[in-house]
Amino acid sequence: MPLLHVLLDPFALGFMRRALVGCLALSLAGPPLGVLLVLRRMSLTSDVLQHGMLPGVALGALAGGLTVPAMGLGAFLAGLAVALLASWLARVSGGAEDSQLAGVFLVALALGVALVSATRGIDLTALLFGNVLAVNDAALLLMAGAASVSLVGLAVIWRPLVLESFDPGFLKALGGRGGLWHLAFMALVVACVVGGLTALGTLMSIGLMMLPAVAARHFSAELSGQVAAAVALAVAASVAGLLLSFWGNVPAGPAIVLSAGMLWALGLLAGPRASLRARLWRPHYRA
Amino acid sequence: MISPPPLRFTDLTCVHDRHPAVHHLSGCFAPGSLTAVMGPNGAGKTTLLRALAGLHPPHDGVIDRGGLAPGQIALLPQAGTLDRNFPIACRDVVALGAFARLGAFRTATAASSAAAEAALGAVGLAGFARRLVGSLSAGQFQRLLFARLIVQDAPVLLLDEPFNAVDARTEAELLALLHRWHAEGRTLVVVLHDFDLALREFPEALLLARSLVARGPAAEALSEENRARARLAAEAWVEHPEVCRDAA
C-alpha cells in the first residue's frame, strides 16, 4: 500500500513524531483562542503580540543563554507586558486599544531587533521561523505545557469571555469586570503563541492559531461548531504540512502554515457556509 | 410578591465631556412603581438609566440603590448597541441572563436551561432555542432581550426605549409582559418617546430636560404645558457651561 507508506513512514522517525505531537498540542489550544480573537475583531492582535515578544526573547537569551525555558519565559513576559501596557494606555489616555497596541509593539519590535543584533549567537532566522524538526524535550514540554494552560484557561473563562465579546454592556451592568477577562484572555493568547515559538518561530506560530480560526466561519455557523471546525482544520494542516515538508523537502513551519492556508481557500471556495459554492448554488425556495 | 427597596437619587449630576446630561436631579422610584421617563432628545434619559444601573459614574450627587447588587438592577439598552452577527444561539443569550446568579464559574443546571426555554416561550419565541441571533428580525431580537430579562429575574428593571423598531403586535405583547412584572411588584423605569403610550399605560411619569421638569401621575406630569417647558429647556445648549458651584 504505497499511500499508507506515504502517510505513515515519515512518522516512524523520532523527530517527525515529536514534531507531530507538538503541532497537535498547538492545534488543540490555538484555534479556539483564534476564533475568539476573530469574533472580538482582534484578528491581527496575535500577530502584533508575537512581534512584541522579540525583546523578551533576546533578554531571555542574554540572561539565561540560548535555552528554551529562558527564551520562552522572556517571550511570555514581554508579550504580557505589551498587552498590559497597551490596554492600560488605552484606559488612561482614552485612545483606541488597537492604536496603543500598534505603538507599543513597534517600539518593542525595534528594541528587540536592536537587542538581537547586539547579542552574539542568536540566529534571527531561527527565531523568526523556528525549526519544527528540531523539537527537543524542552521544546516539546513548552509546547504541551503552554497548550494545556491555554486550553484549560480558556475553558475556565469561557462564559464571561463569550458574554464580554457579545454584550460587554450587559456584563458591566452585572458588575462583571470586563477588563479582567480581556486581560486573562490576552495572557492565554500570549502563552499559546510562546508555545509555538520554538517550533514554528515568531512569524509562523500564529499561522496555526489564526488561519483555521479565520476559515472556521465557512464550516459552522455557531460558536462551538466554529471552535470544533478550527481545531479539526489545524490538526489536518499540521499532519498535511509535516508530510509536505518531509516529502517535498520544504521547511516544516511554512509548510504547515501553507497547508492551513490551503484549507482556508478550500473553505472559501467550497465550504458549506458563506463560500463561493454557497453563493453560486442557490436553491429555489418555495414561499 | 417582590418588594424591592426604593431607588433614590439626590442632587444627581452626570456629565459627558463637561456638559451636564443630567443636572441636579433628585427623586425616587418607589417600590413597585411603573414610571415612564420622557423628554426631548438629549434630555439625559439614557444617561439617568445608565447612572442608576451603575454604568455611568455620577459627577456629583448620590444614588441609593437600597443595597441591591448590580445584577439586581436590570438594564435593557437601546436597540442597535449589540453585535447581532455574533455566532451565538438564542437559548445561550437567554441563559446568560442567569449570569448575575451563576457568575463566571458556577455550573448551569438543567433547571437553568429549562428556564431559558420557558422564557423564550413566554416572549413568543418558542422553537427559536437553536436559532442564531443573526437570523432574527429587530422585533424578534427585542423579544429575545426581554426573555433574558425574565431569566435575570431582577426586582428593578430599567428599559431604554424598549418599543423602538418593533411592530404593533410585538409592542402589545411586550407591554403585557411589562404589566405582569408590575403586578409582581417589581420597580419599572421605562424611557419612552410615545406620549400617548405613556398616558395610556403608565401610572407615573418623569419629564426630564437635563433637570427635572415635572414628575408625578402621568396625566399631570406630561401636560401640554410641561412638555413645552421641556422642549424649551432642552434647546438651550451652552457651548461653555458655567461652573454652577465652586468645587469643594
Side-chain angles (χ1 to χ4, degrees), chain A residues 194-248:
Chain A
V194 170
L197 218 59
T198 44
L200 297 166
T202 52
L203 275 184
M204 295 287 137
S205 70
I206 59 153
L208 206 50
M209 178 190 283
M210 295 313 297
L211 272 167
V214 173
R217 174 173 87 84
H218 300 295
F219 294 91
S220 175
E222 210 249 327
L223 179 56
S224 52
Q226 287 184 3
V227 167
V231 169
L233 289 169
V235 167
S238 298
V239 175
L242 286 173
L243 289 173
L244 181 70
S245 158
F246 187 85
W247 295 111

Side-chain angles (χ1 to χ4, degrees), chain A residues 39 156 159 167 173-174 221 223, chain B residues 70 82 87 103 105-106 132 148 152:
Chain A
L39 290 175
V156 168
R159 188 191 296 161
D167 192 351
L174 297 181
L223 179 56
Chain B
L82 279 180
F105 305 122
R106 267 186 292 279
L132 294 178
R148 185 169 74 177
Q152 192 176 351

Side-chain angles (χ1 to χ4, degrees), chain B:
Chain B
M1 206 57 185
I2 296 160
S3 54
L7 199 57
R8 290 180 207 282
F9 42 98
T10 313
D11 199 24
L12 184 68
T13 295
C14 298
V15 298
H16 288 291
D17 198 18
R18 288 185 56 245
H19 285 278
V22 171
H23 206 194
H24 297 307
L25 189 68
S26 296
C28 171
F29 293 110
S33 59
L34 172 57
T35 311
V37 174
M38 312 209 58
N41 285 326
K45 307 182 292 295
T46 296
T47 307
L48 173 64
L49 251 53
R50 285 173 53 80
L52 292 174
L55 290 178
H56 190 116
H59 181 73
D60 207 354
V62 183
I63 299 173
D64 176 11
R65 301 183 180 85
L68 285 176
Q72 293 178 294
I73 302 177
L75 173 70
L76 177 76
Q78 276 178 40
T81 53
L82 279 180
D83 176 12
R84 280 172 53 193
N85 285 320
F86 200 85
I88 189 170
C90 291
R91 183 186 41 207
D92 294 336
V93 173
V94 175
L96 280 169
F99 194 90
R101 290 189 300 283
L102 290 177
F105 305 122
R106 267 186 292 279
T107 318
T109 57
S112 51
S113 64
E117 303 259 358
L120 279 169
V123 297
L125 291 179
F128 278 62
R130 296 175 63 89
R131 288 265 294 268
L132 294 178
V133 294
S135 69
L136 302 184
S137 70
Q140 287 170 335
F141 191 72
Q142 197 68 348
R143 286 170 185 255
L144 183 72
L145 294 181
F146 268 75
R148 185 169 74 177
L149 289 174
I150 294 178
V151 169
Q152 192 176 351
D153 193 24
V156 176
L157 294 105
L158 314 172
L159 314 179
D160 198 352
E161 302 189 14
F163 307 126
N164 271 16
V166 304
D167 62 18
R169 184 169 154 222
T170 303
E171 181 179 301
E173 290 186 25
L174 296 182
L175 259 175
L177 202 55
L178 224 74
H179 284 302
R180 204 183 85 197
W181 285 332
H182 180 50
E184 287 168 353
R186 298 178 208 264
T187 307
L188 289 150
V189 181
V190 186
V191 169
L192 287 177
H193 275 299
D194 183 344
F195 279 99
D196 294 333
L197 182 71
L199 290 168
R200 199 172 65 235
E201 306 278 351
F202 289 74
E204 312 256 334
L206 184 146
L207 188 58
L208 202 61
R210 293 201 278 276
S211 323
L212 181 70
V213 176
R215 58 168 304 138
E220 291 166 31
L222 302 178
S223 67
E224 270 305 331
E225 190 196 341
N226 284 340
R227 284 191 234 176
R229 279 174 49 212
R231 271 197 302 276
L232 273 177
E235 278 160 11
W237 168 260
V238 185
E239 182 61 43
H240 296 290
E242 279 177 45
V243 177
C244 60
R245 122 157 59 134
D246 290 330

Side-chain angles (χ1 to χ4, degrees), chain A residues 92-153:
Chain A
V92 297
S93 76
E97 179 149 346
D98 68 326
S99 68
Q100 308 302 306
L101 200 56
V104 173
F105 111 83
L106 285 167
V107 171
L109 181 62
L111 193 66
V113 172
L115 278 170
V116 168
S117 317
T119 314
R120 278 163 190 271
I122 296 187
D123 178 0
L124 193 58
T125 314
L127 210 57
L128 292 178
F129 299 103
N131 187 356
V132 183
L133 304 180
V135 173
N136 59 17
D137 279 349
L140 200 57
L141 276 174
L142 178 72
M143 286 162 101
S148 307
V149 168
S150 307
L151 198 60
V152 172

Side-chain angles (χ1 to χ4, degrees), chain A:
Chain A
M1 281 286 278
L3 181 64
L4 219 54
H5 282 293
V6 169
L7 292 180
L8 293 182
D9 278 4
F11 298 112
L13 300 165
F15 69 90
M16 285 294 287
R17 272 208 303 276
R18 284 165 176 278
L20 181 66
V21 169
C23 288
L24 289 183
L26 294 178
S27 300
L28 282 175
L33 293 168
V35 169
L36 275 157
L37 282 169
V38 169
L39 290 175
R40 294 168 71 83
R41 299 174 197 283
M42 296 166 60
S43 302
L44 289 170
T45 297
S46 51
D47 191 42
V48 165
L49 284 178
Q50 66 171 1
H51 284 75
M53 288 173 189
L54 202 56
V57 176
L59 284 176
L62 272 177
L66 294 169
T67 60
V68 170
M71 298 205 296
L73 186 66
F76 180 73
L77 293 178
L80 212 54
V82 167
L84 285 173
L85 186 60
S87 49
W88 178 75
L89 280 175
R91 226 183 4 258
V92 297
S93 76
E97 179 149 346
D98 68 326
S99 68
Q100 308 302 306
L101 200 56
V104 173
F105 111 83
L106 285 167
V107 171
L109 181 62
L111 193 66
V113 172
L115 278 170
V116 168
S117 317
T119 314
R120 278 163 190 271
I122 296 187
D123 178 0
L124 193 58
T125 314
L127 210 57
L128 292 178
F129 299 103
N131 187 356
V132 183
L133 304 180
V135 173
N136 59 17
D137 279 349
L140 200 57
L141 276 174
L142 178 72
M143 286 162 101
S148 307
V149 168
S150 307
L151 198 60
V152 172
L154 184 63
V156 168
I157 66 166
W158 182 259
R159 188 191 296 161
L161 187 65
V162 168
L163 182 55
E164 214 266 329
S165 307
F166 169 60
D167 192 351
F170 182 63
L171 181 65
K172 214 174 155 205
L174 297 181
R177 315 237 327 252
L180 188 74
W181 305 116
H182 174 72
L183 288 180
F185 175 61
M186 296 305 282
L188 296 179
V189 172
V190 170
C192 195
V193 172
V194 170
L197 218 59
T198 44
L200 297 166
T202 52
L203 275 184
M204 295 287 137
S205 70
I206 59 153
L208 206 50
M209 178 190 283
M210 295 313 297
L211 272 167
V214 173
R217 174 173 87 84
H218 300 295
F219 294 91
S220 175
E222 210 249 327
L223 179 56
S224 52
Q226 287 184 3
V227 167
V231 169
L233 289 169
V235 167
S238 298
V239 175
L242 286 173
L243 289 173
L244 181 70
S245 158
F246 187 85
W247 295 111
N249 204 17
V250 184
I256 291 170
V257 176
L258 282 174
S259 302
M262 257 140 52
L263 289 172
W264 178 36
L266 183 76
L268 265 172
L269 294 174
R273 286 192 69 253
S275 62
L276 187 66
R277 185 185 67 105
R279 192 172 293 183
L280 292 180
W281 185 78
R282 293 189 209 179
H284 291 276
Y285 296 107
R286 289 170 199 277

